Amino acid sequence: MKILKAAVIGVGGISHEHITAYQKNPNVELYAFCDINEERLYQKAEKYGVAKERCFTDKDEMLAALPEIDIVSVTTWNSAHAECTIAALNAGKDVICEKPMAMNAEEARRMKEAADKNGRLLQIGFVRRYGNDCKVVKDFIDAGSFGDIYYAKATYLRRNGNPGGWFGDKSRSGGGPLIDLGVHVIDLVRYLLGKPQPVSVYGATFQKLYNRPTVKSQKGYTAADAKQNDICDVEDLASAMIRFNNGAVLSIEASFSLNIKKPEGDIQLFGTKAGCKLDPQVEIYTEMNDYMVNVAFDDDTALSFDGLFSNEINHFVDCVLNGTECIAPAQDGIDMMRILDAVYESARTGHEVIL
Ligand SMILES: NC(=O)c1ccc[n+]([C@@H]2O[C@H](COP(=O)([O-])OP(=O)(O)OC[C@H]3O[C@@H](n4cnc5c(N)ncnc54)[C@H](O)[C@@H]3O)[C@@H](O)[C@H]2O)c1
């Protein structure tokens, strides 16, 4: 079988997951790196054993110099996703681009157009679709155990968790916790619900606590380039109600900074036959013989990060090599960006946005 040559554009924090997943895949050769930060570029090249002559600070130079590259991971900050992805697609590569797909739906549409025009795959990094918890819940949904799922709640709340660096800089991130964290849980719910289309959105965002620069407690996650006086012009809390074309409604909350006791991440689905909660373990709530019963699993169903990104990258490689249907295609990224755009628009105007 052909061995795919993989390039990674943007070798910061999350690229580690793509890189090590490529290294573990027998059908892939980790081949080239690109990053505008030269120091980081060569440090990562040494760490992961990529030859110096296959390291570039400019994506276009890399794509021109190494036409043998087959696949590309785009793991830059959000504002560079569109330009890097489109350049790689136009150079004839298949691409996996990290979430969020882009800064907005308009950019996302242009990325898909480039994929279609060049007949290449564009997969979006909706990594939670590959989680063990997702699989368990999806098995029950597919078997009809939940009946009609008509309401869902998803939260991804940090107390002191603005990572700084580009995450707080709207010109590079496109927004705060909604586009960074909310995207994961909105996508997971939408995927579990069978990818219904959004029809209306009501959203609110708040910028009250900023990035808590004077708070002494450790942040959970700090950007590689974070500094004390980083710009912070993104929301610190977002909340939204999203209505889908199958009648289901999702309520979502995401924060970087919030006066909450401890960070919270949770997804709950409510159906006519049963409901469930995904965190910390999957539990199902239903009726049996006219009693309310709670179903727990014998197996550990907590989301495991062990192998999560490998599952995603292996799927990407399988799609490219074998033509397997992609479970996270570009259209899903566009649909997500339409939702996120609508939340920000609704928050700006104070009114519901009809999609
Ligand atoms: N799937 C997940 O769970 C997950 C987790 C973290 C981050 N992410 C996503 O991954 C992306 C990167 O996040 P990160 O935490 O690794 O950030 P990071 O700052 O650690 O890394 C980003 C890198 O991209 C480089 N870069 C920026 N513009 C570039 C360009 N035009 N060409 C080449 N390199 C460029 C930067 O120099 C930096 O090294 C973001 O889109 C983020 O939302 C996803």
Side-chain angles (χ1 to χ4, degrees), residues 47-88:
K47 176 172 177 185
Y48 298 108
V50 170
K52 241 183 153 183
E53 56 275 19
R54 294 204 295 266
C55 290
F56 296 80
T57 52
D58 183 302
K59 64 179 187 315
D60 298 315
E61 278 176 27
M62 177 182 80
L63 293 165
L66 304 176
E68 65 273 27
I69 291 169
D70 298 295
I71 54 175
V72 172
S73 276
V74 174
T75 48
T76 63
W77 49 60
N78 304 343
S79 62
H81 284 186
E83 60 175 271
C84 294
T85 298
I86 292 171

Side-chain angles (χ1 to χ4, degrees), residues 9-15 34-37 40 75-78 80-81 83-84 98-100 125 127 166-167 180 184 221 224-225 309:
I9 306 180
V11 291
I14 205 63
S15 71
C34 171
D35 201 296
I36 53 173
N37 182 325
R40 189 173 302 148
T75 48
T76 63
W77 49 60
N78 304 343
H81 284 186
E83 60 175 271
C84 294
E98 261 302 339
K99 52 53 65 176
V127 74
W166 66 266
F167 288 90
D180 184 48
H184 279 296
Y221 184 72
D225 64 341
F309 280 87

Side-chain angles (χ1 to χ4, degrees), residues 70 84-95 110-122:
D70 298 295
C84 294
T85 298
I86 292 171
L89 291 165
N90 284 342
K93 316 306 173 196
D94 295 297
V95 177
R110 284 198 287 113
M111 293 160 77
K112 181 174 183 296
E113 274 164 28
D116 294 345
K117 183 183 79 185
N118 292 291
R120 308 316 313 181
L121 172 65
L122 172 53

